[in-house]
Amino acid sequence: MRRHHHLFPFPCSLRCGRAVGILFATLLTLSAMAQNSEHNFGVTKRLDLFNSLYRSLDLQYVDSLDAKKNIETAITAMLSELDPYTEFYSETEGAELREMATGKYAGIGSPIVFRRTAKRCAFATPYEGKPAQKAGVRTGDVIIAVDGKDFGDYTGKDIGAYSARVTEALRGEPGSTFELTLRRPGERRTFKVRITRENISLPNITLSKVFPDGVGYVVLNRYTEHAASELRTAILSLMQQGATSLILDLRGNGGGVVSEAVKIVNFFVPKGKEVLTMRGRTANLHQTYLTEGEPIAPTLPLAVLVDYGTASAAEITAGALQDYDRAVIVGVRTYGKGLVQQPIDLPYDASAKITVAKYYIPSGRCIQAYDFKRRNADGDPLHLPDSLTTEFRTTTGRIVRDGGGILPDVVVAGDSLEPFVANLRESDVYFDFLVRYRQAHPTIDEPEQFRLSDADYKDFVDYLKANGYVYKSASLEYVETLRKFIRSEGYEGRTATALKALIDKLQPNLEADLQQWEREVRKGLESDIVYEYYYEAGLRRHNLAEDPDFKAARNLLHDLPRYHRLLSGAPEP
């Protein structure tokens, strides 16, 4: 073929090239259509198989089937193969999806917990200013009946279903009134209160204050509707009170409505700046969000606190401000959720929340940390290692990376919650002591000043001992599992003495563990007691005294030369 090339003049070559291009494009289109047709056939085929199998089971299986339970189990199993954010909501669960988006529900405003000792559900710290709290309901009050309908002692195997039944009875139409029968711990007699249900909307802003040094501090808990407008009001108020810098606390904020994040970024960066771009499988799912207004605090020195609980829309806020070099991020690496969900309506009043796109923040990076298509032997999604991430650049040229959440500019090593302390705080005995303490102390000191006395801590230790607090360390459980493997492989004779000695050393010693972890136990107990009296805002005020993230951010805002060096990427002197 090479020896004939000189026979074709240029115009003919051009025409042939165009023809080949058109042919190639046509072949690609036909190939795509064929693949799409094959895919559609595969979907139809397997749906027919499932439908036929279930119809046969329904007609011929030895026992009658529960269609709702069986089909929803199949749906849940299918979605579990995708990602944890793609979820199905039956006709009775639609309110849950709406609550996630709006932060509102109709009820009495208190979480409940199942109490094994009481064999019933009880209230856990009613929300401040909501119907339950205004009616005098306290933490630990055991729920006996609603409008005379007794729930009975729990005797089954599904605690979740029992608790859900109680929750459903407490919720209802706003304005409706009912009679609640309760039993207070330590008392035999029951008592009744009348409560009127309301639309419950938890505040997005938990705490907002200015410190004497001019540092403003505001906690944003969630990104439901109106989060941006509430934060805007808080920031303007702080500035009017004399704030010359700001700490925005996004720790534990799991995100929510994306548009709220865009508005919040706009408080600090100019109009017309890209905040994020969504990219889905189809063109209609591609969308770019720009700031639309003038910022309210374009030059206010800003630090943003983040942790592993910072996710989704909260990561968009922190990441966009980092990419524009507008704020110094302080804390530990965030969760890494770079996926976008969209609610859809399904037949028979069911609904779903489906992951439809990934989002990319201004530097071009996607911070999604988990690969749900690739999982380890335990079925957990793989976390993208740092070695496989890609470099991107902020506005001033600082290096940031994709694939692993937002890495703070100032990393602060936080205190990890010791397993002994975590298990203790989740126990019934611990809960009972909090209830007992609340009943014995009508008031306590202000959150910033409250400290547990030595006498009260001794009372706590004695209470644990007297009520038989039982626990087992994870180390002991692992060793006992190891002993089973050793026995199955025939090595027990060689290792019996060493294993027994190790197991003896790992046996629970409540007194020794309480002494070893006294500082951590005291800290947790003080926080939980403060929360009972002063709620979320009081807890935040109490914890700031020993908050390493807050201290690091505050010190940074006092050292503006270092603050600006960090944002510019200039080396430390």
Side-chain angles (χ1 to χ4, degrees):
M1 292 297 292
R2 172 182 273 176
R3 63 179 182 273
H4 298 300
H5 281 181
H6 67 283
L7 299 176
F8 295 97
F10 178 77
C12 181
S13 298
L14 183 61
R15 288 195 300 273
C16 291
R18 287 174 176 166
V20 170
I22 293 171
L23 176 61
F24 184 65
T26 303
L27 289 173
L28 283 177
T29 301
L30 291 173
S31 175
M33 291 174 62
Q35 290 177 0
N36 192 49
S37 178
E38 183 178 346
H39 171 79
N40 291 340
F41 173 72
V43 172
T44 301
K45 175 182 176 180
R46 281 154 184 80
L47 286 174
D48 284 344
L49 283 172
F50 180 85
N51 187 49
S52 179
L53 173 61
Y54 192 83
R55 190 164 54 245
S56 297
L57 288 171
D58 195 43
L59 292 172
Q60 302 177 40
Y61 188 67
V62 63
D63 293 322
S64 59
L65 301 181
D66 182 337
K68 182 179 187 301
K69 179 180 178 181
N70 296 143
I71 301 298
E72 290 185 9
T73 297
I75 291 172
T76 300
M78 174 180 67
L79 298 184
S80 70
E81 295 294 312
L82 304 179
D83 64 70
Y85 318 115
T86 297
E87 297 179 294
F88 169 76
Y89 297 85
S90 68
E91 63 272 20
T92 61
E93 299 170 330
E96 183 180 343
L97 183 58
R98 291 191 296 274
E99 181 184 333
M100 290 175 61
T102 64
K104 299 177 182 177
Y105 66 93
I108 65 173
S110 177
I112 64 170
V113 293
F114 180 77
R115 304 288 291 112
R116 292 184 183 276
T117 51
K119 297 182 180 179
R120 290 178 179 262
C121 291
F123 287 104
T125 317
Y127 299 132
E128 184 178 15
K130 303 306 178 185
Q133 189 256 344
K134 289 188 292 187
V137 174
R138 292 185 187 175
T139 297
D141 286 349
V142 178
I143 303 168
I144 304 299
V146 168
D147 277 338
K149 183 179 179 181
D150 195 320
F151 293 103
D153 289 350
Y154 172 77
T155 57
K157 296 181 180 179
D158 191 346
I159 291 175
Y162 180 89
S163 300
R165 188 157 58 90
V166 177
T167 298
E168 186 177 355
L170 294 174
R171 294 190 177 188
E173 291 297 317
S176 59
T177 300
F178 68 97
E179 184 179 74
L180 180 63
T181 305
L182 302 170
R183 184 176 64 244
R184 187 148 287 165
E187 300 178 6
R188 292 184 178 182
R189 297 180 61 182
T190 61
F191 66 98
K192 297 177 180 179
V193 295
R194 292 197 66 79
I195 302 182
T196 300
R197 299 180 179 94
E198 297 178 4
N199 279 321
I200 305 298
S201 179
L202 300 181
N204 293 294
I205 304 296
T206 300
L207 178 63
S208 175
K209 66 177 297 183
V210 179
F211 291 87
D213 57 3
V215 174
Y217 175 71
V218 60
V219 180
L220 182 64
N221 266 352
R222 55 187 63 82
Y223 280 74
T224 56
E225 291 177 351
H226 312 303
S229 64
E230 289 179 31
L231 183 60
R232 176 189 176 90
T233 300
I235 293 172
L236 290 174
S237 175
L238 292 174
M239 293 168 68
Q240 289 171 358
Q241 295 173 54
T244 55
S245 60
L246 178 67
I247 298 174
L248 173 61
D249 195 340
L250 297 181
R251 291 175 298 179
N253 188 321
V257 182
V258 168
S259 59
E260 298 298 299
V262 177
K263 295 173 185 175
I264 290 170
V265 172
N266 197 180
F267 296 160
F268 308 103
V269 302
K271 180 179 179 180
K273 292 289 187 179
E274 180 180 316
V275 177
L276 79 152
T277 297
M278 293 181 185
R279 299 177 195 162
R281 284 180 60 187
T282 57
N284 67 308
L285 293 172
H286 298 349
Q287 191 169 359
T288 297
Y289 289 81
L290 305 177
T291 54
E292 297 181 350
E294 297 301 327
I296 60 172
T299 60
L300 188 71
L302 175 65
V304 178
L305 306 186
V306 299
D307 64 6
Y308 183 71
T310 306
S312 188
E315 288 179 294
I316 292 172
T317 299
L321 292 172
Q322 185 180 55
D323 284 355
Y324 283 123
D325 302 297
R326 181 58 191 86
V328 173
I329 313 302
V330 178
V332 296
R333 189 193 295 268
T334 63
Y335 179 77
K337 180 178 180 289
L339 304 176
V340 180
Q341 286 69 49
Q342 179 175 294
I344 63 167
D345 294 326
L346 297 173
Y348 307 106
D349 293 326
S351 54
K353 176 166 61 73
I354 296 178
T355 297
V356 295
K358 292 182 178 180
Y359 69 74
Y360 300 80
I361 51 181
S363 63
R365 55 180 169 149
C366 177
I367 52 92
Q368 176 63 25
Y370 295 91
D371 186 348
F372 294 103
K373 290 184 178 180
R374 299 169 60 233
R375 298 173 183 260
N376 61 24
D378 295 329
D380 296 325
L382 296 179
H383 191 287
L384 188 67
D386 288 344
S387 59
L388 297 182
T389 59
T390 304
E391 286 187 2
F392 292 82
R393 298 278 177 171
T394 70
T395 301
T396 62
R398 294 187 298 148
I399 295 174
V400 289
R401 307 190 75 90
D402 66 357
I406 306 297
L407 182 65
D409 306 303
V410 176
V411 177
V412 180
D415 294 334
S416 59
L417 189 59
E418 296 296 334
F420 170 76
V421 182
N423 292 334
L424 174 62
R425 293 176 71 182
E426 292 175 1
S427 69
D428 283 355
V429 179
Y430 184 92
F431 184 90
D432 289 340
F433 178 82
L434 288 177
V435 173
R436 180 172 173 265
Y437 187 94
R438 181 71 175 85
Q439 291 176 332
H441 299 79
T443 62
I444 62 172
D445 291 339
E446 287 294 310
E448 293 85 351
Q449 285 76 46
F450 176 75
R451 295 295 180 271
L452 201 65
S453 69
D454 290 341
D456 283 337
Y457 186 74
K458 182 180 182 303
D459 184 37
F460 170 69
V461 173
D462 291 343
Y463 187 83
L464 293 181
K465 294 177 182 177
N467 287 273
Y469 173 60
V470 178
Y471 64 102
K472 183 184 289 187
S473 71
S475 300
L476 181 58
E477 292 180 348
Y478 279 122
V479 173
E480 290 177 343
T481 301
L482 175 63
R483 183 166 62 174
K484 292 177 182 178
F485 280 106
I486 289 173
R487 184 183 297 127
S488 68
E489 294 181 348
Y491 298 132
E492 189 172 19
R494 302 183 202 173
T495 61
T497 302
L499 273 175
K500 184 179 184 307
L502 181 58
I503 289 173
D504 287 345
K505 289 182 181 296
L506 291 175
Q507 289 300 320
N509 185 328
L510 181 60
E511 190 134 11
D513 285 337
L514 285 171
Q515 184 176 355
Q516 180 177 354
W517 307 114
E518 179 176 346
R519 176 183 173 275
E520 291 79 5
V521 172
R522 273 182 177 269
K523 185 177 178 181
L525 190 55
E526 287 171 352
S527 294
D528 293 331
I529 290 173
V530 166
Y531 186 74
E532 286 299 315
Y533 291 84
Y534 295 104
Y535 307 99
E536 181 71 24
L539 177 63
R540 295 279 185 169
R541 288 165 53 195
H542 172 80
N543 289 341
L544 283 180
E546 297 183 25
D547 187 334
D549 296 346
F550 175 77
K551 287 182 179 179
R554 193 174 184 179
N555 290 338
L556 178 65
L557 293 174
H558 287 166
D559 186 356
L560 290 182
R562 179 172 176 245
Y563 169 85
H564 290 297
R565 279 198 306 273
L566 282 170
L567 292 178
S568 67
E572 293 285 339

